[in-house]
Amino acid sequence: MNVARERQLSRRSLLGGAAATGVALTGAAAGTASAATREADVAVVGGGLAGLTAARDLVAAGKTVVVLEARDRVGGRVVNLKLANGGVTEGGGEFIGPTQDRIKALADNLGVATFATYNTGKNVLYKDGKRTPYATDGLLGSVPPVDLAGLANAAALQAMLDDMATKVPVDAPWTAEKAVEWDQQTFETWLKANAVIPSAKFLLDVACTSLFSAKPRELSLLYVLFYIASAGNASTPGTLERLTETANGAQETRFVGGSHQVPVKLAATLGDRVVLNAPVRSITLSGGRYTVTADGVTVSARRVVVALPPPLASRISYDPLLPADRDQLSQRMPMGSVGKAVAVYDTPFWRADGLNGQVVSDTGAVRSTFDNSPQDASYGALMGFIEADEMRAFDSVPADEVRAAVLKDYVTYFGDKAKSPTSFVLQRWDNEGFSRGGPVAYAPPGVLTQYGPALRRPTGGIHWAGTETSTYWNGYMDGAVRSGERVAKEILAAL
């Protein structure tokens, strides 16, 4: 199946605190799958930011392209959710920040404006049953005020991780001098050996879950170090702080009118080259050309871009079979488990209480939150992430029960005014057939050193895109755009 390529689920503050375009393209903006055979230089599987960016660059170079998108819309895990009051909120990828140059350039080119994530006022730490509002403009910045020993230990751990990450090549983490040693252990194993103060372990656990929607026990230490290294660009080394912060970090900025405007406007520039409702079932090579078969449409192409996360790309039938290492890679990279819950209110009442809407918690269904109100604050919106074990526990729970659990948490964090929102929306990515989780397909121990080289290596005329293949900002919208730009260059060099 073609799993719509979607960018990185939104990030949240970890150590540092916790106009509707969400409609399917219609008319000239995109085609809808119908029984037909089309010919092109390149078939692109997946209409998220990666696939659309690759198509844009290939078309600009004079190549013919068809984009096959499984959903009835573009954008994948970048989507606006309609609200009862006529507004929208982001159900998936949302934030951008410093060194995320490629998504910012794309948005600027498409005329999608940005604004600062609301970050005025105090954060809230909820730990051990105690609620503590805390300022973020002091010596500690936005680090939650745990005990001094925990703060010192956490600072040392962050410095260690940043230093180790500098020794991980972003284009080939499996070649790091200590790659085997680091890839043989989980992040949890490393934390247990080094986080000697429980509160420091808590801070790093929160950071991990918020970044990957997975627990430290599920992740390779080498993969975590690579992810930190990737949070930069060619001139700026990545740091854990840049991943976790709001101000000067990955959560610094939002898009006016919602992030979904970016893929929608990008797809509109491609017109009927984009075919919706066309999940790809098979890719077959014969006579030097690839036949890409989707529901209702078949494309004959010289090259193919598969812009899907590895576990979902593997659900397509390939003839000839994929190399064993590529298939084994796909089997070993699961999606994180994540949902977003947004409660809408007449006003962002927490601002009047001196709060910025950001929470870090050690309990509850929602353990990190953001103020998701629009730029003009015409209404209030509290967004909470449900992640990892908590999301898995709610995957099959009725929506009204999830709503009740989330609102209970919001009341704990923000008071009784949070009890009665005017509306509530829930996006459970684990249950999306063309996503099956998010924000990224991650690597458990042993995967990068054994199978990592297959991640970007073309398979004949099949090229791999998607945020999981990016060297910088892997797992983010920016990484998706970078992967599309890279794969277009690969193809142009080959044709």
Side-chain angles (χ1 to χ4, degrees):
M1 290 185 293
N2 161 21
V3 185
R5 201 45 270 129
E6 38 238 46
R7 241 325 313 134
Q8 172 46 23
L9 257 180
S10 321
R11 304 306 163 168
R12 47 284 261 152
S13 187
L14 319 181
L15 294 181
T21 56
V23 295
L25 297 174
T26 57
T32 299
S34 59
T37 299
R38 299 171 65 169
E39 291 197 358
D41 293 318
V42 183
V44 177
V45 182
L49 285 170
L52 294 173
T53 299
R56 173 202 64 181
D57 290 358
L58 290 165
V59 169
K63 303 303 179 183
T64 55
V65 175
V66 175
V67 179
L68 298 170
E69 167 53 47
R71 302 178 192 265
D72 61 359
R73 60 169 178 81
V74 295
R77 280 170 291 175
V78 177
V79 62
N80 282 354
L81 304 177
K82 293 181 180 180
L83 300 175
N85 63 10
V88 297
T89 194
E90 295 90 344
E94 177 173 352
F95 303 108
I96 65 172
T99 73
Q100 294 190 12
D101 313 310
R102 302 316 302 153
I103 181 65
K104 182 61 165 61
L106 174 59
D108 288 347
N109 180 261
L110 295 169
V112 181
T114 59
F115 69 103
T117 302
Y118 189 78
N119 199 36
T120 301
K122 295 181 177 181
N123 287 15
V124 171
L125 169 66
Y126 189 81
K127 186 175 184 295
D128 300 326
K130 181 182 178 182
R131 177 182 178 275
T132 305
Y134 64 97
T136 62
D137 55 1
L139 291 176
L140 296 178
S142 55
V143 178
V146 297
D147 57 279
L148 291 178
L151 290 171
N153 190 196
L157 294 174
Q158 180 164 311
M160 291 171 65
L161 290 167
D162 284 348
D163 180 66
M164 294 159 70
T166 65
K167 299 173 175 61
V168 177
V170 293
D171 59 343
W174 46 87
T175 65
E177 182 179 354
K178 294 187 176 181
V180 172
E181 174 187 337
W182 291 339
D183 205 30
Q184 286 178 340
Q185 59 185 298
T186 64
F187 188 40
E188 174 76 6
T189 299
W190 186 87
L191 286 176
K192 284 184 174 179
N194 294 279
V196 294
I197 307 298
S199 56
K201 176 69 160 53
F202 159 73
L203 292 177
L204 272 295
D205 282 347
V206 170
C208 176
T209 303
S210 296
L211 282 174
F212 304 103
S213 297
K215 297 293 186 180
R217 68 175 186 269
E218 301 176 277
L219 302 160
S220 158
L221 174 60
L222 177 63
Y223 177 74
V224 171
L225 296 175
F226 156 71
Y227 213 77
I228 294 170
S230 79
N233 57 24
S235 60
T236 309
T239 66
L240 180 58
E241 184 179 29
R242 189 173 300 115
L243 284 169
T244 62
E245 290 288 338
T246 299
N248 300 312
Q251 290 68 235
E252 184 175 66
T253 305
R254 296 172 59 200
F255 292 105
V256 177
S259 53
H260 196 210
Q261 289 194 97
V262 179
V264 167
K265 290 191 174 186
L266 179 54
T269 69
L270 296 169
D272 63 5
R273 298 179 183 90
V274 180
V275 183
L276 303 178
N277 299 303
V280 168
R281 307 301 181 181
S282 65
I283 299 174
T284 302
L285 175 63
S286 179
R289 292 185 69 87
Y290 288 90
T291 299
V292 182
T293 304
D295 289 2
V297 61
T298 298
V299 179
S300 174
R302 299 166 65 191
R303 297 271 166 166
V304 179
V305 174
V306 178
L308 311 176
L312 300 175
S314 69
R315 299 181 184 184
I316 297 171
S317 175
Y318 298 87
D319 185 9
L321 292 173
L322 294 179
D325 61 350
R326 171 70 202 190
D327 195 61
Q328 293 282 324
L329 172 79
S330 299
Q331 295 177 39
R332 286 166 167 77
M333 290 188 72
M335 304 297 291
S337 295
V338 67
K340 293 180 78 172
V342 183
V344 180
Y345 304 88
D346 290 332
T347 64
F349 62 85
W350 51 93
R351 297 185 184 182
D353 295 335
L355 302 177
N356 62 19
Q358 296 174 41
V359 169
V360 172
S361 176
D362 67 350
T363 190
V366 168
R367 302 190 180 192
S368 64
T369 69
F370 275 91
D371 182 330
N372 250 44
S373 309
Q375 183 182 24
D376 62 5
S378 55
Y379 57 88
L382 281 174
M383 181 273 288
F385 290 98
I386 312 173
E387 301 180 281
D389 291 348
E390 287 68 47
M391 187 68 258
R392 289 187 280 268
F394 279 117
D395 280 340
S396 59
V397 171
D400 59 345
E401 293 184 27
V402 180
R403 180 183 187 274
V406 169
L407 292 182
K408 180 181 178 182
D409 291 340
Y410 289 178
V411 169
T412 297
Y413 306 148
F414 300 105
D416 285 343
K417 293 178 183 177
K419 186 181 299 183
S420 302
T422 58
S423 63
F424 182 91
V425 292
L426 175 66
Q427 182 75 20
R428 290 190 272 195
W429 288 104
D430 293 16
N431 295 342
E432 290 286 317
F434 298 114
S435 297
R436 301 320 308 259
V440 64
Y442 61 85
V447 174
L448 288 180
T449 48
Q450 289 299 308
Y451 309 102
L455 191 58
R456 284 186 300 277
R457 185 182 65 223
T459 302
I462 301 174
H463 300 256
W464 308 102
T467 191
E468 288 83 3
T469 70
S470 186
T471 53
Y472 289 108
W473 288 108
N474 191 285
Y476 288 73
M477 291 185 287
D478 189 74
V481 174
R482 289 176 187 270
S483 77
E485 293 173 340
R486 169 190 54 78
V487 84
K489 291 176 182 176
E490 284 180 5
I491 291 173
L492 291 173
L495 290 180

